[in-house]
Amino acid sequence: MSALFEPCTLRSLTIPNRVWMPPMCQYSAAPDGEFAGAPHDWHFAHYAARAVGGTGLIIVEASAVSPEGRISPYDLGIWNDTQVEAFRRITRFLKGQGTVPGIQLGHGGRKASTDRPWKGGAPVGPEAHGWQPLGPSALAFDAKHPVPTALTVEGIQEIVGQFADGARRALDAGFQVAEIHGAHGYLVGEFLSPHSNQRTDEYGGSFENRTRFALEVVDAVREVWPEELPLFFRISATDWLDDGGWTADDTVRFASLLKAHGVDLLDTSTGGNVAGVRIPTGPGYQVPFAARVKAETGLPVAAVGMITDPEQAEKILANGEADAVLLGRELLRNPSWARQAARELGADAHVPDQYHRSV
């Protein structure tokens, strides 16, 4: 039996294999109007292709819990019923292929209101559908980004409520996994790190205070998310700073708290909160962070980062370093990666009836 193609059960949900697709923004939604933030034909074709290819779980890209929570004006959202109805077309198709549909609930924080990457990704203002970003402190991400408006306590609580509302809508849209985006220097992660959070109230300073907002979001989402369905949290396990940032030790400590608050799996990435930092990349370079969380806390983890080869993915799981692998760029390159990996490993993956001649 291939470890990569063994089903994974979290709470009462069984995911057919451990080849999962992480959230990857497509920057392709309408920026304004009736269908702002709603998925359309591009998103349907994009996610449907990976489901047809045998991917066990697809986590739809970061979907903002409010208009100003979008990373760019062209991102998806989950703040209104028009978006919910548009998502239902996608979740129905994914379930029909045996793929579990998940969604990442996010808020861009101080890195919000930027252009699409292929247009340079620079911050944009009102003349280009942009807005004033928000953050834990009035600290810009870098010299190119505007100084965000520091959130008041009332503003923080409003966003906690928006995450809960987003989770309710996600459930209504047919999603079976919800993931809170606490990674890559966006709002939840900004609160965690002392590099970006220099508040002096109950949401800043100590580890307990800096994790308060994230845990409030988790509690609010867990309260409305069904008991039988799993909740994920995506984290950047380190800021890659020698001093003054979020560390791997912090991640292990925080993972135990997340587990106690009802999180079922930690989606373990790194970086994104500090501009210009050097990250030592290479095949599987982020796997050790996931492995440490799993070993020291017992919380299930998913590993990411330059995982491209079926034997490499199989080894990660067989060695107990992670409970699943999330393939980003590799699934962009090859929507049928899961089915091809199953063939190489002598395992089974979903093949639509229409494609059986390809087996």
Side-chain angles (χ1 to χ4, degrees), residues 10-11 222 229-232 258 262-266 299-301:
L10 297 166
R11 297 195 182 235
R222 187 74 266 182
L229 294 179
L231 175 63
F232 293 5
L258 291 173
V263 168
D264 300 288
L265 181 138
L266 192 67
L299 180 66
V301 296

Side-chain angles (χ1 to χ4, degrees), residues 26-28 39-48 50 61 89:
Q26 296 296 291
Y27 306 101
S28 298
H40 53 74
D41 286 352
W42 172 265
H43 303 91
F44 178 84
H46 172 63
Y47 293 114
R50 279 80 195 165
E61 63 203 79
R89 180 187 177 208

Side-chain angles (χ1 to χ4, degrees), residues 263-283:
V263 168
D264 300 288
L265 181 138
L266 192 67
D267 176 356
T268 312
S269 186
T270 65
N273 192 45
V274 182
V277 69
R278 288 194 62 178
I279 298 177
T281 61

Side-chain angles (χ1 to χ4, degrees), residues 182-185 189 192-195 234-252 254 266-274 277-280 285-290 292-293:
H184 302 154
L192 294 176
S193 174
H195 176 80
R234 189 165 221 198
I235 195 165
S236 284
T238 177
D239 282 341
W240 295 105
L241 288 174
D242 293 331
D243 186 45
W246 182 261
T247 70
D249 289 343
D250 292 329
T251 294
V252 172
F254 185 49
L266 192 67
D267 176 356
T268 312
S269 186
T270 65
N273 192 45
V274 182
V277 69
R278 288 194 62 178
I279 298 177
Y285 72 102
Q286 296 177 130
V287 174
F289 296 98
R292 184 180 168 192
V293 169

